[in-house]
Amino acid sequence: MSIQDAERRRSIPRRVVSGLQQPLPPLAVPVPPGRPAPAARPAAVRDRAGRRLYAVDGIRLLAALMVAVHHYAGTNRVDQPGNRIWDRPVSDIMPTVFRFASYGWIGVEIFFVISGFVICMSCWGRTPRQFFVSRVIRLYPAYWFAVAFTTAVLILLPGVWDRLRMRDVLLNVTMLQSGSGVMNVDGVYWTLWSELRFYLLFLVVVWSGLTYRKVVVFCCAWGAAAMLAPISKLPLLELVANPEGAWYFIAGLALYLMHRFGQDLLLWGILAMAWLMGQRELGIRIDEVEHVSGWRGSVAIFTVFLLAMVAIALGATDRVRWKWLVTAGALTYPLYLIHYAAGTTLINRLRDTMDARLLVVSVIAGFLLLSWLVHRFVERPVARLLKRGLDTSFARLRNASG
């Protein structure tokens, strides 16, 4: 099944299928007579809360590369006879690469976990206005470029993907097209719809003021809603609860609380529940969308990733401070947005010019370079302009007398 076919399946309401503050002091909790006072957070935990986590940047890029390799050499679409990308099953062209690439889709679930972790980390101590501005300037500049770039490629190099009508392309600029039932310019944009719904839900917690207790309650309440949504037959609840992605985001939130406040049994319980619910969602995705990989292998990869994130959260990678990982993390979002439709179109045009494995590596390398250019000359300057304009607008709104 192609990613566009899967996107049509996701349009069905039943299943819609990508300045840190110092830590607050521990809450003062009354202690009953005769009981010892709770121990303060260890100094090492307090110190970790404000550090940049270079290892997370590295995992983000690894996840993006997994998704790219999957789309080029591991999907069910590219393994069909006469497919538009390779013209013959990719498992016949490069069987070993296909075997590994068929599991690359798990990079999307990894993105969701990291998103929960990073969003909680980046907005701790921020106001709702700051949270809103940070999300706009982070998401939209590269996304606008991706919409324009992919549309141009599909116009200039037709034959692989169907091009949307211009009115639908223009609606894609809003990033809200999934809410209107309009197809995405590039099929990978479906993950952004899950991200946006997570942001809107978490904005409520940010508005009330982030604390350990409130984030834990949010995780439990959202998890309960995600469990009930599939059997409720209520489209609105399914839309808001996002049962397909909720538990991955919840895992990320629990991991950040471990990082900021230290581990405890409650956080381990939330993480364990997220793993149990997540493995079920992995199986559903294999059955309904992917059809190319096994449940056991998928769960094993996801489990290894979660253990790596636990190690990061608990400080095992604090000594990893390679500066190049910052750049690697910055390339992740543009690479994800631009690699699929344009990249498979290029493979269609170049497949007979070189070895297939070399072609995949070359296309990915080319898009990594383009991603750096997008980050340097689009994301950074446009983000500065947007931030300046939004800060001015909110200041005017705050000072308006009527």
Side-chain angles (χ1 to χ4, degrees):
M1 179 183 294
S2 70
I3 197 165
Q4 289 189 337
D5 294 335
E7 184 181 352
R8 294 189 183 95
R9 180 187 291 271
R10 296 186 189 103
S11 66
I12 302 172
R14 169 69 173 76
R15 178 167 296 281
V16 186
V17 176
S18 253
L20 300 180
Q21 302 269 340
Q22 289 299 315
L24 298 176
L27 295 173
V29 181
V31 182
R35 290 190 181 181
R41 283 188 298 151
V45 174
R46 292 198 301 270
D47 292 342
R48 286 203 307 269
R51 292 179 182 174
R52 184 179 186 95
L53 299 174
Y54 293 87
V56 172
D57 290 315
I59 291 180
R60 288 171 60 198
L61 181 61
L62 176 62
L65 293 173
M66 287 172 59
V67 173
V69 173
H70 173 67
H71 285 152
Y72 295 161
T75 65
N76 188 52
R77 165 186 278 269
V78 299
D79 201 40
Q80 298 302 312
N83 68 82
R84 292 183 178 181
I85 299 167
W86 293 101
D87 191 45
R88 57 195 178 101
V90 73
S91 59
D92 293 343
I93 303 172
M94 37 185 172
T96 302
V97 173
F98 173 76
R99 191 174 304 115
F100 287 98
S102 63
Y103 288 92
W105 56 271
I106 302 171
V108 170
E109 281 65 29
I110 295 173
F111 282 143
F112 287 162
V113 175
I114 293 176
S115 180
F117 187 102
V118 171
I119 292 303
C120 194
M121 176 175 64
S122 62
C123 66
W124 203 279
R126 289 189 175 187
T127 64
R129 177 186 64 80
Q130 291 171 322
F131 175 66
F132 173 81
V133 171
S134 70
R135 291 302 88 204
V136 169
I137 66 176
R138 177 70 182 97
L139 293 180
Y140 276 97
Y143 175 75
W144 286 334
F145 174 87
V147 170
F149 171 76
T150 301
T151 300
V153 170
L154 298 186
I155 291 174
L156 296 173
L157 301 173
V160 178
W161 299 102
D162 296 330
R163 180 168 56 90
L164 300 185
R165 296 174 296 182
M166 186 52 61
R167 64 188 182 187
D168 292 337
V169 173
L170 292 175
L171 186 60
N172 268 250
V173 173
T174 68
M175 205 184 287
L176 304 176
Q177 62 274 9
S178 294
S180 301
V182 171
M183 295 289 292
N184 294 311
V185 167
D186 191 318
V188 298
Y189 298 168
W190 73 268
T191 60
L192 300 176
W193 184 235
S194 287
E195 292 275 355
L196 289 176
R197 286 180 284 167
F198 165 53
Y199 297 159
L200 288 175
L201 286 176
F202 201 62
L203 181 61
V204 177
V205 191
V206 175
W207 175 78
S208 67
L210 287 180
T211 65
Y212 170 87
R213 180 183 301 173
K214 289 177 181 177
V215 176
V216 167
V217 171
F218 173 77
C219 290
C220 295
W222 190 15
M227 284 189 289
L228 294 173
I231 62 171
S232 69
K233 308 302 181 183
L234 297 174
L236 181 59
L237 179 59
E238 288 201 70
L239 177 67
V240 174
N242 186 18
E244 300 81 21
W247 287 103
Y248 304 119
F249 293 115
I250 290 171
L253 294 173
L255 285 163
Y256 179 69
L257 292 180
M258 285 187 182
H259 171 70
R260 188 177 185 91
F261 295 99
Q263 58 181 311
D264 59 42
L265 185 59
L266 180 58
L267 295 180
W268 279 112
I270 294 173
L271 188 61
M273 181 65 75
W275 181 88
L276 290 168
M277 298 300 291
Q279 61 83 25
R280 177 180 180 275
E281 290 299 328
L282 293 177
I284 291 174
R285 183 165 172 181
I286 290 170
D287 295 340
E288 296 187 356
V289 179
E290 301 301 337
H291 307 299
V292 291
S293 49
W295 173 82
R296 289 182 178 85
S298 301
V299 172
I301 294 171
F302 182 66
T303 302
V304 168
F305 159 72
L306 276 187
L307 292 175
M309 286 299 296
V310 168
I312 293 172
L314 298 182
T317 62
D318 285 353
R319 293 185 178 181
V320 176
R321 299 184 183 182
W322 305 323
K323 300 297 184 182
W324 64 269
L325 287 175
V326 178
T327 302
L331 300 182
T332 300
Y333 184 54
L335 175 63
Y336 179 78
L337 292 176
I338 64 178
H339 80 275
Y340 182 52
T344 48
T345 298
L346 287 176
I347 289 175
N348 168 264
R349 292 298 195 277
L350 301 174
R351 65 193 180 202
D352 297 324
T353 63
M354 65 183 77
D355 178 80
R357 291 162 295 186
L358 178 60
L359 177 57
V360 169
V361 171
S362 299
V363 171
I364 290 176
F367 277 106
L368 282 171
L369 175 59
L370 179 58
S371 298
W372 182 85
L373 294 173
V374 171
H375 171 67
R376 177 66 179 83
F377 297 105
V378 177
E379 278 193 301
R380 288 165 59 178
V382 175
R384 284 195 296 267
L385 291 174
L386 280 176
K387 186 177 188 308
R388 189 180 307 130
L390 288 171
D391 286 344
T392 301
S393 299
F394 277 111
R396 183 179 182 183
L397 184 65
R398 184 176 59 252
N399 297 327
S401 57

